[in-house]
Every structure is written in structure tokens, then in C-alpha cells.
Amino acid sequence: MAKSWVNSAERVGADLHLELSGTGGRRAALIAALREAVRDGRLAPGTRLPPYRSLAADLGVARNTVADAYAELVAEGWLTARQGSGTRVADRAAPLPRAGRASPTAPPRTRASTPTSRTHTSAPAPPAHASSPTAPAHGRAPARTPPRPPLHDLRQGTPDPSAFPRAAWLASYRRALQQAPNEVFGPGDPAGRVELREALAEYLARARGVRTDADRIVVCSGFAHALRLLFGGGVLRGPLAVEAYGLPFHRELLTAAGVRTVPLPLDEHGARVDRLGRERAVLLTLAHQFPMGGPLHAERRAAVIDWARARGGVVLEDDYDGEFRYDRKPVGAVQGLDPERVILLGSVSKSLSPAVRLGWMVLPERYVEGVLAAKGEREAWASVLDQLSLADFLASGSYDRHVRRMRQRYRSRRDRLVAALAAQAPHVEVTGVAAGLHAVLRLPPGTERSAVKAAAWQGVALDGLAGFRHPEADLEAADGLVVGYATPAEHAYEAALEALCRGLPGAL
């Protein structure tokens, strides 16, 4: 397998998304990209830039190219460099307004609290976490003995719980609690704490290429909660185009809200967005298609924005694991192409833990008040103290350090999975492994169901590919297994791989 750019990246540093384009060499392109990031406010004054080696590895350029670019921008006054402090964005005049940002002379938007100002509706309860496509339906089940956990949990979607950064999170929690103003302990703003929204605006701009400001971010308790607010709250209506393979839990949630979903076929370049028609919106996993893997092709990224503009529609960008990429350069959020036509949805369920029930919506201006009305007058689900803790975790650099550390760990696990399959089941094709926390194992036609049963006999819990297929999809069904490699503890991972290989059809 080709050497990954992650391998040579610094373990400590901040992610920085830059697009190197235009005429001239790589040095000139990097200088122009950094200037633009400072000019439009994505890199705020005082922001520390990644070390030479780290940014060079991320962008696939020579270390000297980054060093020369930094030196040029220091000479021009865009950056400052000080021994022991690294390279930082210089203190400058306020950046040019970003998309949707209010004019400096405009009065701040007020959120009236009177009954006449917006509808009073309580936020719907966030759904219980579903770890597999066959999760039980909502509703209280009769009391029973909890099922015995699997010996080897290789289901997709959950990070290693033993890797949660307890010490760093506790430090952030303590600082947040000590510095919290008294108002924190009263009713919460349905938009979320401004400290978190400002930290998210800075991080998403820097790491994911997102163009936004704090007033266009609404905090929620996760992706499913966001869908409930958007569709259950009447902000958006169907029909909604979705990818032919995706989480059935999300389709069920949308169906319960009265939204018809229309499947889009998939091929090696991602969703066939040329098949979009009269739908009002489309939900896509653009950076890493779930569960098949792979980013949406650049031409299709542009095409879906063109469709949204021509149709007056909106793109829902599910940025579920954008931080975890291994064998390819980062893919920025498509939201940066047109912030008024894209709703970016994200959470910390993959990067930190699903137990930290925090997510966010980056919204076009026209949807902000409708989403806040759907949430109600008070924050009902996202803990204010957790919001402040995450804000500190982001601002202190702890989040960047954790993501880089876990990126290294998950890449190692991915490599061990691929090596084990190559040695013990070379007939099984492995796909979708350039990013994310899972792989797809392609199987011969007609063998998926028996392979899932055989894995269960070996004590392995995993998902069959068929469970993710939209029931109305018009593409040929594929047999396969969706194998998550993030959940098992490190000491148990080798045993899990051995059990997986023993259960595969035709395994040696």
C-alpha cells in the first residue's frame, strides 16, 4: 500500500484546509491560498499555523516550499514568526466580510422571546444511538435481560471508547466551569453557547474550508437531531434525494416525518447527481460516501451546486468523518462553494464519542430563524456545560491533537485489517479504506447472508451491505460486509481480525 501522507505528519499540530490552485508553482499557490485564508477571516489574527513538516505532508509539497511561503508572508506582514511561539497570523485590520456576515454597521440580530415572535415548539427527543441497520424501532420494550455483548465488535460507526481523551477533556471541563458566567446556569440559548459557535466557526473554516460565522451555526445533539429539526420542524420539505446506500435509520426517521426519499444510484465517482430532478433537497456524504467509501468526484461536487442554484434547492452535506483520511489529501466541505445553497451537518460522535451529544448545523441565512423556532425558546438537549467544554477543547488545540493521534491509530488498524485479509482471504476485495472508520469487503454473489451468520458463530458482530441499500434503489444489489475497525480495544484487535477471517467464505 502506498505510503500515506498521514505517516509523515506531525502528531501535534492544527489541521488546515487549503486549496492550491491557479497558475504558477506550488510555492506561489500556497502563498496565495494563505493570503486568501487570512483575508477572508478563515485564519483569524493570532492563529498558530501548522509546523512546516505537518503542512507539507498534508498538502503533498516539499517542506522547503512551506518554509519559503511562510517566510514570504512574514516579510509581507501577513504572518509573524517568533522563537518558541511558531508562525502565527499577524494582528491586522478586520478581514473582509465572509458569506452571510452582517455589515459592521448593521444592528445585531435579536432573538425575541415573546410568543408572537416565533412558534413555540419543543425540540423533539434526540433518537437513541443505533449501532447497526437492524437496530430496534423506537418505543419502550418490555423489561428483559440485556443481550450479551459480542465477543468482537466490528460494527461500523463507533470510535474506540478507550481512547476518549479523559485528562484533556477534564481539563477543558474544569476551565469552562471556572470561567463560566452566572448566566450559564440559567435557561440555554437554543442556538447554542456563543463560545462554542465561535470556536466551531474558526475550526471549520481552518480545517474543512467552511465559510460561515457564529450567527449561522446552530448547536444540536447530533446528526439525527438535526434531521428532525429540519424536516420534523417544517424548515424543509420533501421529496429528498438520498444516496442509494446509506443508514436506514435516517431513512426511517425521514419517513416518520412524512418525507419521501428518492435514491440516487452510485458508481465509482460517487452519487449520480445528474439523476437529480424535481426534488427540493439532496442529502449526500460528499467527503466519504457511507458506506461504500470514496469522495464525490470534483465535477459532481460542482454539478450538485449548479443543480441547487437552478432548482432553488439545498444540499445537505453530512460531514460525518471528514477528519479521518489516510491515503489521500483532505477533501474540503462543499459548503465552501456556496454557503447559501448548502447546509453542513456535523458532530463529534466519530471524532470524540457518541456519548458527547453535541453536533452542529451550518445554515444558509434564510434557515436560521426557522431552525431556532423548531428548537423552541430554550436549549433542551445539548448540555451547556458540555458546549463550553467543547469550546475550550477546540480553542486550546486539544481537539486537533486528539484527531491527529486517532488518525494515526485508525490508519494503523486499517492497515492491519488489509494485511490480515491479504494473508488469509486474498480472494476478498477490500474497498472504501482511504478514509473513515470502516471498510467494505466485497463478497461473491449470494454469500452475504451466510457470511454474516458465520461471523456471528465466531463471536463477531458486523453488518451486511444489504441492510444499507435503499428499498427503491434501481441499481444491482452488491454482496458485502461493512467492517468497522475503530471500536475494539487495542489488546483485542488481533483476535477480532483472526475471528473475522475464519468466518469469511472460502477463507484459508
Side-chain angles (χ1 to χ4, degrees), residues 1 4 6-7 11 152-155 157-164 324 326-327 405-422 430 433-439 441 483-498 500-501:
M1 182 171 294
S4 166
V6 174
N7 259 354
R11 287 181 179 270
H152 307 292
D153 192 349
L154 294 180
R155 289 172 291 192
T158 306
D160 181 357
S162 68
F164 185 82
F324 297 114
Y326 312 119
D327 297 323
R405 183 169 61 252
M406 298 313 298
R407 193 183 293 151
Q408 293 280 349
R409 177 178 298 188
Y410 293 147
R411 183 193 185 279
S412 173
R413 290 193 177 193
R414 186 281 311 265
D415 289 349
R416 289 153 66 187
L417 168 63
V418 173
L421 291 168
V430 187
V433 294
L437 306 180
H438 72 273
L441 278 53
V483 178
Y485 46 78
T487 304
E490 189 63 30
H491 71 273
Y493 189 57
E494 288 299 329
L497 294 182
E498 293 175 3
L500 169 68
C501 291

Short mmCIF file of all heavy atoms in Angstrom, two decimals, residues 1 4 6-7 11 152-155 157-164 324 326-327 405-422 430 433-439 441 483-498 500-501:
data_model
loop_
_atom_site.label_atom_id
_atom_site.label_comp_id
_atom_site.label_asym_id
_atom_site.label_seq_id
_atom_site.Cartn_x
_atom_site.Cartn_y
_atom_site.Cartn_z
N MET A 1 0.85 -1.19 0.00
CA MET A 1 0.00 0.00 0.00
C MET A 1 0.88 1.24 0.00
O MET A 1 1.90 1.29 0.68
CB MET A 1 -0.90 0.00 1.24
CG MET A 1 -1.86 1.18 1.29
SD MET A 1 -3.03 0.96 2.62
CE MET A 1 -3.92 -0.46 2.02
N SER A 4 1.26 6.71 3.22
CA SER A 4 0.24 7.74 3.44
C SER A 4 0.88 9.05 3.83
O SER A 4 1.89 9.09 4.52
CB SER A 4 -0.72 7.30 4.53
OG SER A 4 -1.50 8.35 4.97
N VAL A 6 -0.34 10.85 5.99
CA VAL A 6 -0.52 10.96 7.43
C VAL A 6 0.71 10.47 8.17
O VAL A 6 1.06 10.97 9.23
CB VAL A 6 -1.77 10.16 7.88
CG1 VAL A 6 -1.90 10.14 9.38
CG2 VAL A 6 -3.01 10.77 7.27
N ASN A 7 1.39 9.46 7.63
CA ASN A 7 2.53 8.89 8.31
C ASN A 7 3.59 9.91 8.64
O ASN A 7 4.25 9.84 9.66
CB ASN A 7 3.15 7.79 7.44
CG ASN A 7 2.73 6.42 7.91
OD1 ASN A 7 2.07 6.29 8.93
ND2 ASN A 7 3.09 5.40 7.18
N ARG A 11 2.53 14.70 14.90
CA ARG A 11 1.46 14.22 15.77
C ARG A 11 0.78 15.37 16.49
O ARG A 11 -0.37 15.27 16.90
CB ARG A 11 2.02 13.24 16.81
CG ARG A 11 2.38 11.90 16.21
CD ARG A 11 2.90 10.97 17.28
NE ARG A 11 3.23 9.68 16.70
CZ ARG A 11 2.40 8.68 16.60
NH1 ARG A 11 1.16 8.83 17.01
NH2 ARG A 11 2.76 7.53 16.08
N HIS A 152 -16.42 -9.90 19.71
CA HIS A 152 -15.64 -9.00 18.87
C HIS A 152 -16.61 -8.05 18.16
O HIS A 152 -17.38 -8.48 17.29
CB HIS A 152 -14.82 -9.76 17.84
CG HIS A 152 -13.95 -10.84 18.43
ND1 HIS A 152 -12.87 -10.57 19.23
CD2 HIS A 152 -14.03 -12.20 18.33
CE1 HIS A 152 -12.31 -11.70 19.60
NE2 HIS A 152 -12.99 -12.70 19.07
N ASP A 153 -16.57 -6.77 18.50
CA ASP A 153 -17.50 -5.81 17.91
C ASP A 153 -16.82 -5.10 16.73
O ASP A 153 -15.99 -4.21 16.92
CB ASP A 153 -17.93 -4.78 18.95
CG ASP A 153 -19.11 -3.92 18.48
OD1 ASP A 153 -19.43 -3.99 17.27
OD2 ASP A 153 -19.68 -3.19 19.30
N LEU A 154 -17.18 -5.51 15.52
CA LEU A 154 -16.65 -4.89 14.31
C LEU A 154 -17.77 -4.18 13.55
O LEU A 154 -17.73 -4.08 12.32
CB LEU A 154 -15.97 -5.93 13.42
CG LEU A 154 -14.70 -6.56 13.99
CD1 LEU A 154 -14.12 -7.58 13.00
CD2 LEU A 154 -13.66 -5.50 14.33
N ARG A 155 -18.76 -3.67 14.28
CA ARG A 155 -19.79 -2.88 13.63
C ARG A 155 -19.27 -1.47 13.36
O ARG A 155 -18.40 -0.98 14.08
CB ARG A 155 -21.05 -2.84 14.52
CG ARG A 155 -21.78 -4.17 14.58
CD ARG A 155 -22.88 -4.17 15.60
NE ARG A 155 -22.36 -4.12 16.96
CZ ARG A 155 -23.08 -4.35 18.05
NH1 ARG A 155 -24.37 -4.65 17.93
NH2 ARG A 155 -22.54 -4.29 19.25
N GLY A 157 -19.20 2.68 12.79
CA GLY A 157 -19.82 3.89 13.32
C GLY A 157 -19.42 4.34 14.70
O GLY A 157 -19.83 5.42 15.12
N THR A 158 -18.63 3.55 15.45
CA THR A 158 -18.30 3.94 16.81
C THR A 158 -16.79 3.97 17.00
O THR A 158 -16.11 3.00 16.68
CB THR A 158 -18.91 2.96 17.83
OG1 THR A 158 -20.32 2.85 17.60
CG2 THR A 158 -18.68 3.44 19.26
N PRO A 159 -16.24 5.08 17.51
CA PRO A 159 -14.81 5.13 17.76
C PRO A 159 -14.42 4.28 18.96
O PRO A 159 -15.28 3.79 19.70
CB PRO A 159 -14.56 6.62 18.03
CG PRO A 159 -15.85 7.12 18.58
CD PRO A 159 -16.92 6.33 17.87
N ASP A 160 -13.13 4.11 19.16
CA ASP A 160 -12.61 3.33 20.28
C ASP A 160 -12.95 4.05 21.59
O ASP A 160 -12.42 5.12 21.86
CB ASP A 160 -11.10 3.18 20.13
CG ASP A 160 -10.47 2.35 21.24
OD1 ASP A 160 -11.19 1.94 22.17
OD2 ASP A 160 -9.24 2.13 21.18
N PRO A 161 -13.84 3.49 22.41
CA PRO A 161 -14.23 4.19 23.64
C PRO A 161 -13.08 4.33 24.63
O PRO A 161 -13.07 5.26 25.44
CB PRO A 161 -15.37 3.33 24.21
CG PRO A 161 -15.17 1.98 23.60
CD PRO A 161 -14.57 2.21 22.25
N SER A 162 -12.09 3.42 24.56
CA SER A 162 -10.97 3.50 25.49
C SER A 162 -10.03 4.65 25.16
O SER A 162 -9.18 5.01 25.96
CB SER A 162 -10.19 2.18 25.50
OG SER A 162 -9.53 1.98 24.26
N ALA A 163 -10.18 5.23 23.95
CA ALA A 163 -9.28 6.30 23.52
C ALA A 163 -9.83 7.68 23.82
O ALA A 163 -9.23 8.68 23.42
CB ALA A 163 -9.01 6.16 22.02
N PHE A 164 -10.97 7.77 24.51
CA PHE A 164 -11.51 9.09 24.82
C PHE A 164 -10.48 9.88 25.63
O PHE A 164 -9.93 9.36 26.61
CB PHE A 164 -12.82 8.97 25.59
CG PHE A 164 -13.49 10.30 25.84
CD1 PHE A 164 -14.27 10.88 24.85
CD2 PHE A 164 -13.32 10.98 27.04
CE1 PHE A 164 -14.89 12.11 25.06
CE2 PHE A 164 -13.93 12.20 27.25
CZ PHE A 164 -14.71 12.78 26.26
N PHE A 324 -10.98 12.09 9.24
CA PHE A 324 -10.19 10.86 9.16
C PHE A 324 -9.97 10.44 7.72
O PHE A 324 -10.80 9.78 7.10
CB PHE A 324 -10.89 9.74 9.95
CG PHE A 324 -10.98 10.04 11.42
CD1 PHE A 324 -12.20 10.25 12.02
CD2 PHE A 324 -9.84 10.15 12.19
CE1 PHE A 324 -12.30 10.55 13.36
CE2 PHE A 324 -9.92 10.46 13.54
CZ PHE A 324 -11.15 10.66 14.13
N TYR A 326 -6.63 9.04 5.06
CA TYR A 326 -5.35 8.37 5.22
C TYR A 326 -4.49 8.42 3.96
O TYR A 326 -3.34 8.85 4.01
CB TYR A 326 -5.58 6.91 5.64
CG TYR A 326 -6.56 6.76 6.78
CD1 TYR A 326 -7.74 6.03 6.63
CD2 TYR A 326 -6.33 7.38 8.01
CE1 TYR A 326 -8.64 5.92 7.68
CE2 TYR A 326 -7.23 7.28 9.06
CZ TYR A 326 -8.39 6.54 8.88
OH TYR A 326 -9.28 6.44 9.92
N ASP A 327 -5.00 7.96 2.85
CA ASP A 327 -4.19 7.82 1.64
C ASP A 327 -4.48 8.89 0.60
O ASP A 327 -4.14 8.72 -0.55
CB ASP A 327 -4.42 6.44 1.02
CG ASP A 327 -3.97 5.33 1.96
OD1 ASP A 327 -2.97 5.52 2.65
OD2 ASP A 327 -4.64 4.29 2.00
N ARG A 405 -3.84 12.21 16.67
CA ARG A 405 -3.44 10.96 17.33
C ARG A 405 -4.33 9.80 16.89
O ARG A 405 -3.85 8.69 16.58
CB ARG A 405 -3.50 11.15 18.84
CG ARG A 405 -3.03 9.92 19.63
CD ARG A 405 -2.87 10.26 21.11
NE ARG A 405 -4.11 10.70 21.73
CZ ARG A 405 -4.37 11.95 22.10
NH1 ARG A 405 -3.47 12.90 21.89
NH2 ARG A 405 -5.51 12.26 22.66
N MET A 406 -5.65 10.04 16.84
CA MET A 406 -6.56 8.97 16.45
C MET A 406 -6.44 8.64 14.96
O MET A 406 -6.63 7.49 14.55
CB MET A 406 -8.00 9.35 16.79
CG MET A 406 -8.24 9.56 18.28
SD MET A 406 -7.56 8.23 19.32
CE MET A 406 -8.49 6.82 18.72
N ARG A 407 -6.11 9.63 14.16
CA ARG A 407 -5.90 9.38 12.73
C ARG A 407 -4.75 8.38 12.54
O ARG A 407 -4.83 7.46 11.71
CB ARG A 407 -5.61 10.70 12.02
CG ARG A 407 -5.68 10.64 10.51
CD ARG A 407 -5.30 11.98 9.91
NE ARG A 407 -6.27 13.01 10.23
CZ ARG A 407 -5.98 14.29 10.34
NH1 ARG A 407 -4.75 14.72 10.18
NH2 ARG A 407 -6.93 15.16 10.61
N GLN A 408 -3.70 8.55 13.31
CA GLN A 408 -2.58 7.60 13.25
C GLN A 408 -3.01 6.21 13.70
O GLN A 408 -2.67 5.20 13.09
CB GLN A 408 -1.43 8.11 14.13
CG GLN A 408 -0.75 9.37 13.63
CD GLN A 408 0.24 9.11 12.52
OE1 GLN A 408 0.57 7.96 12.25
NE2 GLN A 408 0.71 10.16 11.88
N ARG A 409 -3.77 6.15 14.79
CA ARG A 409 -4.18 4.85 15.33
C ARG A 409 -5.12 4.13 14.37
O ARG A 409 -4.96 2.93 14.12
CB ARG A 409 -4.87 5.04 16.68
CG ARG A 409 -5.39 3.74 17.28
CD ARG A 409 -6.04 3.93 18.63
NE ARG A 409 -5.09 4.45 19.61
CZ ARG A 409 -5.36 4.56 20.91
NH1 ARG A 409 -6.54 4.17 21.37
NH2 ARG A 409 -4.47 5.03 21.74
N TYR A 410 -6.10 4.84 13.84
CA TYR A 410 -7.06 4.19 12.96
C TYR A 410 -6.42 3.79 11.63
O TYR A 410 -6.79 2.77 11.04
CB TYR A 410 -8.27 5.10 12.71
CG TYR A 410 -9.11 5.33 13.95
CD1 TYR A 410 -9.77 6.54 14.16
CD2 TYR A 410 -9.24 4.35 14.93
CE1 TYR A 410 -10.53 6.77 15.29
CE2 TYR A 410 -9.99 4.56 16.07
CZ TYR A 410 -10.65 5.78 16.24
OH TYR A 410 -11.40 5.99 17.37
N ARG A 411 -5.46 4.57 11.17
CA ARG A 411 -4.77 4.17 9.96
C ARG A 411 -4.00 2.87 10.18
O ARG A 411 -4.00 1.98 9.34
CB ARG A 411 -3.79 5.26 9.50
CG ARG A 411 -3.10 4.89 8.19
CD ARG A 411 -1.92 5.79 7.88
NE ARG A 411 -1.38 5.47 6.57
CZ ARG A 411 -0.57 4.46 6.33
NH1 ARG A 411 -0.20 3.67 7.31
NH2 ARG A 411 -0.12 4.23 5.11
N SER A 412 -3.37 2.75 11.34
CA SER A 412 -2.66 1.51 11.66
C SER A 412 -3.62 0.33 11.71
O SER A 412 -3.32 -0.76 11.20
CB SER A 412 -1.94 1.67 13.00
OG SER A 412 -1.38 0.45 13.43
N ARG A 413 -4.78 0.54 12.30
CA ARG A 413 -5.77 -0.55 12.35
C ARG A 413 -6.27 -0.91 10.95
O ARG A 413 -6.44 -2.09 10.63
CB ARG A 413 -6.95 -0.13 13.23
CG ARG A 413 -6.59 -0.06 14.70
CD ARG A 413 -7.85 0.03 15.53
NE ARG A 413 -7.54 0.03 16.95
CZ ARG A 413 -8.44 -0.14 17.91
NH1 ARG A 413 -9.71 -0.34 17.56
NH2 ARG A 413 -8.10 -0.13 19.17
N ARG A 414 -6.50 0.09 10.12
CA ARG A 414 -6.91 -0.16 8.75
C ARG A 414 -5.87 -1.01 8.03
O ARG A 414 -6.19 -1.98 7.34
CB ARG A 414 -7.13 1.18 8.05
CG ARG A 414 -7.70 1.15 6.62
CD ARG A 414 -6.70 0.84 5.55
NE ARG A 414 -5.49 1.60 5.59
CZ ARG A 414 -5.27 2.71 4.90
NH1 ARG A 414 -6.21 3.19 4.11
NH2 ARG A 414 -4.09 3.32 4.98
N ASP A 415 -4.59 -0.64 8.20
CA ASP A 415 -3.51 -1.38 7.54
C ASP A 415 -3.45 -2.83 8.02
O ASP A 415 -3.22 -3.75 7.23
CB ASP A 415 -2.17 -0.69 7.79
CG ASP A 415 -2.04 0.62 7.04
OD1 ASP A 415 -2.89 0.90 6.16
OD2 ASP A 415 -1.09 1.37 7.32
N ARG A 416 -3.65 -3.04 9.31
CA ARG A 416 -3.62 -4.40 9.84
C ARG A 416 -4.79 -5.23 9.32
O ARG A 416 -4.65 -6.44 9.06
CB ARG A 416 -3.61 -4.35 11.36
CG ARG A 416 -2.28 -3.85 11.92
CD ARG A 416 -2.42 -3.19 13.27
NE ARG A 416 -2.82 -4.13 14.32
CZ ARG A 416 -3.14 -3.75 15.55
NH1 ARG A 416 -3.12 -2.46 15.87
NH2 ARG A 416 -3.48 -4.64 16.45
N LEU A 417 -5.96 -4.61 9.18
CA LEU A 417 -7.10 -5.31 8.59
C LEU A 417 -6.81 -5.72 7.15
O LEU A 417 -7.03 -6.88 6.77
CB LEU A 417 -8.33 -4.40 8.63
CG LEU A 417 -9.55 -4.84 7.82
CD1 LEU A 417 -10.11 -6.16 8.36
CD2 LEU A 417 -10.63 -3.76 7.81
N VAL A 418 -6.28 -4.80 6.36
CA VAL A 418 -5.98 -5.10 4.96
C VAL A 418 -4.92 -6.19 4.87
O VAL A 418 -5.02 -7.11 4.03
CB VAL A 418 -5.53 -3.83 4.24
CG1 VAL A 418 -5.03 -4.14 2.83
CG2 VAL A 418 -6.68 -2.82 4.17
N ALA A 419 -3.90 -6.14 5.73
CA ALA A 419 -2.84 -7.15 5.70
C ALA A 419 -3.37 -8.52 6.09
O ALA A 419 -3.00 -9.54 5.48
CB ALA A 419 -1.70 -6.73 6.64
N ALA A 420 -4.24 -8.57 7.10
CA ALA A 420 -4.80 -9.85 7.53
C ALA A 420 -5.64 -10.47 6.42
O ALA A 420 -5.58 -11.69 6.17
CB ALA A 420 -5.63 -9.66 8.80
N LEU A 421 -6.43 -9.67 5.74
CA LEU A 421 -7.26 -10.19 4.65
C LEU A 421 -6.40 -10.64 3.48
O LEU A 421 -6.68 -11.66 2.84
CB LEU A 421 -8.25 -9.12 4.21
CG LEU A 421 -9.35 -8.78 5.23
CD1 LEU A 421 -10.10 -7.53 4.81
CD2 LEU A 421 -10.32 -9.95 5.38
N ALA A 422 -5.34 -9.90 3.19
CA ALA A 422 -4.45 -10.29 2.09
C ALA A 422 -3.78 -11.63 2.38
O ALA A 422 -3.56 -12.43 1.46
CB ALA A 422 -3.40 -9.20 1.87
N VAL A 430 -11.16 -5.53 -0.78
CA VAL A 430 -11.39 -4.54 0.27
C VAL A 430 -11.49 -3.16 -0.38
O VAL A 430 -10.59 -2.76 -1.12
CB VAL A 430 -10.27 -4.55 1.32
CG1 VAL A 430 -10.63 -3.62 2.49
CG2 VAL A 430 -10.01 -5.96 1.81
N VAL A 433 -11.32 2.26 1.87
CA VAL A 433 -10.42 2.34 3.01
C VAL A 433 -9.52 3.56 3.00
O VAL A 433 -8.63 3.68 3.84
CB VAL A 433 -9.54 1.06 3.09
CG1 VAL A 433 -10.38 -0.16 3.39
CG2 VAL A 433 -8.74 0.87 1.80
N ALA A 434 -9.72 4.50 2.10
CA ALA A 434 -8.86 5.69 2.06
C ALA A 434 -9.20 6.68 3.17
O ALA A 434 -8.43 7.59 3.44
CB ALA A 434 -8.97 6.38 0.71
N ALA A 435 -10.34 6.49 3.82
CA ALA A 435 -10.77 7.41 4.88
C ALA A 435 -11.78 6.69 5.76
O ALA A 435 -12.24 5.59 5.44
CB ALA A 435 -11.38 8.67 4.27
N GLY A 436 -12.12 7.32 6.88
CA GLY A 436 -13.21 6.81 7.71
C GLY A 436 -12.78 5.80 8.75
O GLY A 436 -11.59 5.62 9.05
N LEU A 437 -13.78 5.09 9.29
CA LEU A 437 -13.57 4.13 10.37
C LEU A 437 -14.05 2.74 10.00
O LEU A 437 -14.19 1.88 10.88
CB LEU A 437 -14.30 4.59 11.64
CG LEU A 437 -14.00 6.02 12.13
CD1 LEU A 437 -14.79 6.32 13.39
CD2 LEU A 437 -12.51 6.20 12.38
N HIS A 438 -14.30 2.48 8.71
CA HIS A 438 -14.77 1.16 8.32
C HIS A 438 -14.28 0.83 6.91
O HIS A 438 -13.78 1.70 6.19
CB HIS A 438 -16.31 1.10 8.35
CG HIS A 438 -16.96 1.88 7.26
ND1 HIS A 438 -17.25 3.23 7.37
CD2 HIS A 438 -17.37 1.52 6.00
CE1 HIS A 438 -17.81 3.66 6.25
NE2 HIS A 438 -17.90 2.65 5.40
N ALA A 439 -14.40 -0.44 6.56
CA ALA A 439 -14.05 -0.93 5.23
C ALA A 439 -15.20 -1.77 4.71
O ALA A 439 -16.02 -2.28 5.48
CB ALA A 439 -12.77 -1.76 5.27
N LEU A 441 -16.01 -5.14 2.53
CA LEU A 441 -15.46 -6.38 1.99
C LEU A 441 -16.42 -6.91 0.95
O LEU A 441 -17.56 -7.29 1.26
CB LEU A 441 -15.27 -7.42 3.10
CG LEU A 441 -14.01 -7.32 3.96
CD1 LEU A 441 -13.83 -5.95 4.58
CD2 LEU A 441 -14.03 -8.40 5.06
N VAL A 483 -17.24 -3.56 7.71
CA VAL A 483 -16.43 -3.92 8.87
C VAL A 483 -15.85 -2.65 9.50
O VAL A 483 -15.05 -1.95 8.88
CB VAL A 483 -15.28 -4.87 8.46
CG1 VAL A 483 -14.41 -5.20 9.68
CG2 VAL A 483 -15.85 -6.14 7.86
N GLY A 484 -16.26 -2.37 10.72
CA GLY A 484 -15.68 -1.25 11.46
C GLY A 484 -14.42 -1.70 12.18
O GLY A 484 -14.41 -2.76 12.81
N TYR A 485 -13.39 -0.88 12.13
CA TYR A 485 -12.13 -1.27 12.77
C TYR A 485 -11.74 -0.33 13.91
O TYR A 485 -10.62 -0.40 14.42
CB TYR A 485 -10.99 -1.35 11.76
CG TYR A 485 -10.87 -0.20 10.79
CD1 TYR A 485 -10.31 1.01 11.16
CD2 TYR A 485 -11.32 -0.33 9.48
CE1 TYR A 485 -10.21 2.06 10.27
CE2 TYR A 485 -11.22 0.72 8.58
CZ TYR A 485 -10.66 1.90 8.97
OH TYR A 485 -10.55 2.95 8.09
N ALA A 486 -12.66 0.54 14.33
CA ALA A 486 -12.32 1.51 15.36
C ALA A 486 -12.70 1.07 16.76
O ALA A 486 -12.06 1.47 17.73
CB ALA A 486 -12.99 2.85 15.05
N THR A 487 -13.75 0.27 16.91
CA THR A 487 -14.34 0.02 18.23
C THR A 487 -13.52 -0.87 19.15
O THR A 487 -13.39 -0.55 20.34
CB THR A 487 -15.75 -0.58 18.07
OG1 THR A 487 -16.53 0.30 17.26
CG2 THR A 487 -16.42 -0.75 19.41
N PRO A 488 -12.97 -2.02 18.70
CA PRO A 488 -12.31 -2.91 19.66
C PRO A 488 -11.15 -2.24 20.39
O PRO A 488 -10.46 -1.37 19.83
CB PRO A 488 -11.79 -4.05 18.77
CG PRO A 488 -12.62 -4.00 17.54
CD PRO A 488 -12.93 -2.55 17.33
N ALA A 489 -10.94 -2.65 21.63
CA ALA A 489 -9.77 -2.18 22.36
C ALA A 489 -8.50 -2.68 21.66
O ALA A 489 -8.52 -3.70 20.97
CB ALA A 489 -9.81 -2.67 23.80
N GLU A 490 -7.42 -1.98 21.85
CA GLU A 490 -6.19 -2.31 21.14
C GLU A 490 -5.73 -3.74 21.43
O GLU A 490 -5.31 -4.46 20.52
CB GLU A 490 -5.09 -1.31 21.52
CG GLU A 490 -3.83 -1.40 20.69
CD GLU A 490 -4.06 -1.09 19.22
OE1 GLU A 490 -4.97 -0.29 18.92
OE2 GLU A 490 -3.34 -1.66 18.38
N HIS A 491 -5.85 -4.16 22.68
CA HIS A 491 -5.36 -5.50 23.03
C HIS A 491 -6.22 -6.61 22.42
O HIS A 491 -5.78 -7.75 22.33
CB HIS A 491 -5.31 -5.66 24.56
CG HIS A 491 -6.67 -5.74 25.19
ND1 HIS A 491 -7.40 -4.62 25.57
CD2 HIS A 491 -7.46 -6.81 25.50
CE1 HIS A 491 -8.55 -4.99 26.09
NE2 HIS A 491 -8.62 -6.30 26.06
N ALA A 492 -7.45 -6.28 22.01
CA ALA A 492 -8.36 -7.29 21.47
C ALA A 492 -8.46 -7.26 19.95
O ALA A 492 -9.17 -8.10 19.37
CB ALA A 492 -9.75 -7.10 22.08
N TYR A 493 -7.75 -6.36 19.31
CA TYR A 493 -7.95 -6.17 17.87
C TYR A 493 -7.44 -7.35 17.04
O TYR A 493 -8.11 -7.77 16.09
CB TYR A 493 -7.29 -4.87 17.43
CG TYR A 493 -7.61 -4.47 16.01
CD1 TYR A 493 -8.93 -4.30 15.61
CD2 TYR A 493 -6.61 -4.28 15.07
CE1 TYR A 493 -9.24 -3.94 14.30
CE2 TYR A 493 -6.91 -3.91 13.76
CZ TYR A 493 -8.23 -3.74 13.39
OH TYR A 493 -8.54 -3.39 12.10
N GLU A 494 -6.28 -7.88 17.38
CA GLU A 494 -5.73 -9.00 16.60
C GLU A 494 -6.66 -10.20 16.65
O GLU A 494 -6.89 -10.88 15.64
CB GLU A 494 -4.34 -9.38 17.10
CG GLU A 494 -3.26 -8.37 16.75
CD GLU A 494 -3.08 -8.20 15.25
OE1 GLU A 494 -3.30 -9.17 14.51
OE2 GLU A 494 -2.73 -7.08 14.82
N ALA A 495 -7.20 -10.48 17.83
CA ALA A 495 -8.13 -11.62 17.96
C ALA A 495 -9.39 -11.38 17.14
O ALA A 495 -9.95 -12.32 16.55
CB ALA A 495 -8.48 -11.83 19.44
N ALA A 496 -9.84 -10.14 17.10
CA ALA A 496 -11.02 -9.82 16.29
C ALA A 496 -10.75 -10.05 14.82
O ALA A 496 -11.61 -10.59 14.09
CB ALA A 496 -11.45 -8.37 16.54
N LEU A 497 -9.57 -9.67 14.32
CA LEU A 497 -9.23 -9.90 12.92
C LEU A 497 -9.15 -11.39 12.60
O LEU A 497 -9.60 -11.84 11.54
CB LEU A 497 -7.90 -9.22 12.60
CG LEU A 497 -7.88 -7.68 12.65
CD1 LEU A 497 -6.51 -7.16 12.25
CD2 LEU A 497 -8.96 -7.09 11.74
N GLU A 498 -8.56 -12.17 13.50
CA GLU A 498 -8.48 -13.62 13.26
C GLU A 498 -9.85 -14.25 13.20
O GLU A 498 -10.14 -15.09 12.34
CB GLU A 498 -7.64 -14.26 14.37
CG GLU A 498 -6.17 -13.86 14.35
CD GLU A 498 -5.42 -14.42 15.54
OE1 GLU A 498 -6.05 -15.16 16.35
OE2 GLU A 498 -4.22 -14.10 15.69
N LEU A 500 -12.66 -12.74 12.38
CA LEU A 500 -13.28 -12.27 11.14
C LEU A 500 -12.84 -13.11 9.97
O LEU A 500 -13.68 -13.58 9.17
CB LEU A 500 -12.91 -10.81 10.89
CG LEU A 500 -13.26 -10.23 9.52
CD1 LEU A 500 -14.77 -10.13 9.35
CD2 LEU A 500 -12.60 -8.87 9.33
N CYS A 501 -11.55 -13.34 9.82
CA CYS A 501 -11.04 -14.10 8.68
C CYS A 501 -11.51 -15.56 8.71
O CYS A 501 -11.76 -16.15 7.65
CB CYS A 501 -9.51 -14.02 8.66
SG CYS A 501 -8.86 -12.39 8.27
#
